[in-house]
Amino acid sequence: MKTAGRVAAWAVGSLLVLVTLATLWVGLRGVMAYNHLERIHKDGSAAAAAVASNPASATQELALLASDAEAAHKLTSDPVWRLAERCPWIGPQLAAFGTVAAASDELLRGSLLPLATAAQSTSMDSLKPVDGRIDSSSIATLVGPAEAAAKSAQGSAAAVENIDPTPLIGRVGNAVRQAQELFTQTSSALDALSRTAKLLPAMLGQNGPRDYLLLVQNNAEWRSLGGITGTTILLRTDAGAVSLVDTRSATSLSRGITDPLVQLPEDVQAIYQSRPARYFHNLTQIPDFTFDGPLARAMYLARTGKDVAGVIAVDPVVLSYLLRAIGPVTVADGQQLNSENAVQLLLNQVYERYSSPAAQDAFFSGATGAVFQALLQGRGSTTGMLTALARATEEHRVLMWAADPNEQAILAGTLLAGELPATDEQTARFGVYLNDGTGSKMSYYVKPDVSLGWDHCEAARFESARQLTLTLALTNDAPLDAQTSLPPYVTGNGVYGVAPGSAAVVTNLFLPQDYQLVSATASDGSAYEEGSFEDRRVLTFGANLSPQSSTSITIVVRATTSATEAEAIVTPTADESLNPVVKGSCNYASAATLK
């Protein structure tokens, strides 16, 4: 018995020693790995941005970060660490930490560093126009490396995104959330670079001249994707040379049209009637640019006889972002247009200066042309220009459609494509599309406030019956004396039956796919009309807001789902502080607000 006792004691003692050594081993390696990952977290965003904007400049910094990532991966992938990952409580923390380390190694050594190395002779400054010509040959050499980098980064981002956050605590949970955001952003940037490398040479006329139709939306009079098409510009590219061929107002293009230029599908007409095919102003009323692009091309061809290879849409907020990169420009009347005054001048003050719609259109198109001419002259920094375009794209303010099916396939699935929001296993997505019903420029004064909230939260990937609530509040911030203090052209002057100073808003709410409608109510008691577009259920509400008044709409939907995230894609407004992408998370926050 004494011998057995000694054996048992030795066994227990040996086990305790092994556990203690293993704990010290894992702890020491964890601290070392944490220090490596902390350096990556500190400098990773800047390095990733450098790769997306100017890959050649980032090589040395990336090499250092790659060494940190490799070291962190090795420290968190040995047999002892893997065994510890199976332990209760601490195991999920170690597993998450190890996944982030492995993904960081793959992202840096398998994606970013090879791309930067391949781009040693490439500079994004080569994309800066010189005498109206852009040399795209350098970016064309990045097609293969950028595509490989984007694919590798996508895998790394997916690995981190798939970490179950439920058992994670404290610093580990926060670190994983930060890593998910960083990896997603980096993957998106590399995907955009890959697609740009494929598209840009052909778009710039590498294989012969091309014409593109540029639609400039006016957010002072809402349409689903931004605003009415105030101006159309015909751009021509030829062997890198870019020129402005023709500028026309939507009013002149729409004049004399009595019947739709294109036959719209029945489901579209049920919601929007035939207006998008009769008035150029309404081209973006349908909130799907894969539909609007071909429609714009067909209508422009019918009115001008000119065919285009693609259609691009921007708004004055995009112009203000670009002006931060290129500096102020002077417009026809001698006024300086800069990043601070562009939106207010183009979307509001112009109507105080000019009472004639023709003069307003001329000023609008002249100012837009001046900004693009400054771009073609090569003013400002390439990095600043790319940063401006990236922000505008994330806010759904830059949209693009290509007539070539192969090129459109490259755009598909990106923010540039302007597709309807799609619900997936992780995220339920609404579309909140606002249209002016006043026949005026009163949308400039209306503020949308959108929030999202789940009724309860379950563990990630756990399927259960959940309800999701969307609330939209609309406030008319126009002064109380708007009827007399604002120009008649801004108020609409009661021409379409809306009292001057009031703002009529038509809201089309696209519900998440496969979610059931529980309730839909408006604070003013108004009813809604119901329709469908593709596979989306659409609720249409009307509201008439007098100055300094508000109204709200509340939508509740339900599904048996494992989704823990929610998004609402909202019509971009004239206010750059209002993000058109509203998020709500079941895991970490109950609501997100457009404020």
Side-chain angles (χ1 to χ4, degrees):
M1 293 293 293
K2 291 182 178 180
T3 302
R6 292 193 192 98
V7 170
W10 274 103
V12 172
S14 298
L15 180 61
L16 289 173
V17 169
L18 288 173
V19 169
T20 302
L21 289 174
T23 302
L24 290 172
W25 177 267
V26 170
L28 179 60
R29 293 171 74 86
V31 170
M32 293 167 65
Y34 177 82
N35 289 335
H36 287 295
L37 291 178
E38 186 67 14
R39 282 195 290 270
I40 294 172
H41 173 70
K42 179 181 177 182
D43 301 327
S45 295
V51 172
S53 60
N54 194 355
S57 68
T59 307
Q60 186 175 358
E61 185 176 1
L62 282 174
L64 294 174
L65 293 177
S67 296
D68 280 314
E70 182 181 17
H73 185 195
K74 288 179 178 179
L75 287 165
T76 57
S77 59
D78 70 293
V80 177
W81 185 282
R82 292 301 185 204
L83 184 63
E85 288 181 352
R86 299 180 183 180
C87 297
W89 188 76
I90 192 63
Q93 322 301 317
L94 297 177
F97 196 58
T99 298
V100 171
S104 298
D105 190 22
E106 172 62 23
L107 179 66
L108 284 156
R109 289 202 302 139
S111 178
L112 295 178
L113 186 57
L115 174 60
T117 302
Q120 282 297 304
S121 60
T122 302
S123 171
M124 290 299 167
D125 283 336
S126 64
L127 294 176
K128 190 173 184 179
V130 177
D131 297 327
R133 186 179 298 275
I134 300 173
D135 179 11
S136 63
S137 60
S138 58
I139 196 171
T141 64
L142 293 180
V143 170
E147 185 174 19
K151 185 176 181 180
S152 177
Q154 185 179 31
S156 301
V160 175
E161 187 63 38
N162 287 331
I163 296 173
D164 185 356
T166 307
L168 304 183
I169 61 172
R171 280 191 171 186
V172 178
N174 291 332
V176 167
R177 286 194 290 273
Q178 292 172 354
Q180 287 172 337
E181 183 177 350
L182 174 60
F183 275 72
T184 298
Q185 289 175 348
T186 304
S187 177
S188 297
L190 291 175
D191 180 65
L193 178 62
S194 174
R195 294 173 192 255
T196 300
K198 294 176 183 177
L199 279 174
L200 196 60
M203 288 186 62
L204 289 173
Q206 174 182 266
N207 303 316
R210 285 189 174 195
D211 287 340
Y212 287 89
L213 182 62
L214 178 68
L215 309 177
V216 185
Q217 298 189 80
N218 184 331
N219 314 80
E221 187 171 347
W222 281 337
R223 293 296 182 266
S224 297
L225 295 181
I228 61 168
T229 300
T231 295
T232 66
I233 297 176
L234 187 65
L235 296 173
R236 179 162 297 156
T237 64
D238 187 7
V242 184
S243 56
L244 278 62
V245 178
D246 188 24
T247 302
R248 303 194 188 197
S249 69
T251 301
S252 65
L253 287 168
S254 303
R255 189 174 293 121
I257 299 176
T258 55
D259 298 314
L261 297 180
V262 176
Q263 184 63 36
L264 299 176
E266 290 184 7
D267 58 345
V268 173
Q269 292 193 56
I271 301 172
Y272 304 104
Q273 302 177 14
S274 62
R275 288 188 293 267
R278 287 191 293 126
Y279 304 103
F280 275 77
H281 308 78
N282 294 326
L283 279 171
T284 54
Q285 190 170 23
I286 303 166
D288 182 354
F289 205 68
T290 65
F291 188 100
D292 300 339
L295 177 62
R297 179 198 187 198
M299 291 179 66
Y300 193 75
L301 176 63
R303 292 297 286 172
T304 67
K306 296 176 181 177
D307 199 5
V308 295
V311 181
I312 304 168
V314 298
D315 67 17
V317 178
V318 179
L319 302 184
S320 74
Y321 294 166
L322 290 173
L323 285 167
R324 291 175 188 172
I326 65 177
V329 299
T330 302
V331 294
D333 66 352
Q335 169 79 30
Q336 267 208 341
L337 196 69
N338 58 50
S339 61
E340 300 299 323
N341 69 8
V343 172
Q344 185 177 19
L345 184 57
L346 293 174
L347 298 184
N348 188 250
Q349 292 179 351
V350 63
Y351 306 112
E352 298 176 359
R353 292 186 176 202
Y354 304 103
S355 58
S356 164
Q360 296 162 2
D361 289 339
F363 183 85
F364 196 84
S365 62
T368 304
V371 174
F372 279 92
Q373 288 289 5
L375 280 174
L376 296 178
Q377 291 167 5
R379 287 177 49 180
S381 71
T382 305
T383 301
M385 181 183 69
L386 293 175
T387 300
L389 290 174
R391 177 182 177 183
T393 301
E394 289 172 357
E395 295 176 359
H396 296 251
R397 297 183 186 277
V398 180
L399 306 170
M400 185 181 299
W401 172 80
D404 184 310
N406 293 325
E407 294 179 8
Q408 181 60 23
I410 296 174
L411 288 169
T414 68
L415 295 178
L416 282 173
E419 299 160 317
L420 288 173
T423 290
D424 54 37
E425 292 182 357
Q426 183 180 4
T427 306
R429 291 184 174 89
F430 287 90
V432 181
Y433 300 113
L434 309 169
N435 288 274
D436 169 76
T438 318
S440 72
K441 300 298 181 286
M442 288 300 297
S443 299
Y444 183 84
Y445 294 96
V446 181
K447 175 187 176 181
D449 192 339
V450 177
S451 62
L452 295 164
W454 297 90
D455 63 335
H456 67 277
C457 297
E458 304 287 350
R461 300 174 187 81
F462 180 79
E463 195 170 88
S464 67
R466 301 176 190 173
Q467 289 191 170
L468 175 61
T469 300
L470 177 144
T471 302
L472 164 67
L474 295 168
T475 302
N476 181 356
D477 284 335
L480 288 171
D481 62 350
Q483 179 176 358
T484 55
S485 63
L486 297 181
Y489 193 83
V490 171
T491 65
N493 207 29
V495 172
Y496 294 97
V498 179
S502 293
V505 180
V506 178
T507 302
N508 303 120
L509 284 157
F510 282 59
L511 304 187
Q513 297 141 292
D514 300 322
Y515 278 63
Q516 296 178 326
L517 179 65
V518 176
S519 62
T521 57
S523 61
D524 60 7
S526 61
Y528 62 86
E529 295 181 1
E530 188 168 344
S532 63
F533 182 58
E534 297 180 359
D535 59 346
R536 274 81 166 177
R537 193 172 178 181
V538 183
L539 309 183
T540 300
F541 287 82
N544 197 326
L545 300 167
S546 57
Q548 298 297 304
S549 72
S550 299
T551 190
S552 64
I553 298 167
T554 302
I555 305 293
V556 181
V557 295
R558 178 176 55 211
T560 299
T561 178
S562 59
T564 57
E565 305 294 326
E567 283 185 359
I569 309 303
V570 187
T571 296
T573 73
D575 187 346
E576 67 175 78
S577 70
L578 300 181
N579 193 331
V581 182
V582 178
K583 297 179 182 291
S585 173
C586 197
N587 282 327
Y588 312 121
S590 59
T593 304
L594 184 72
K595 287 184 177 178

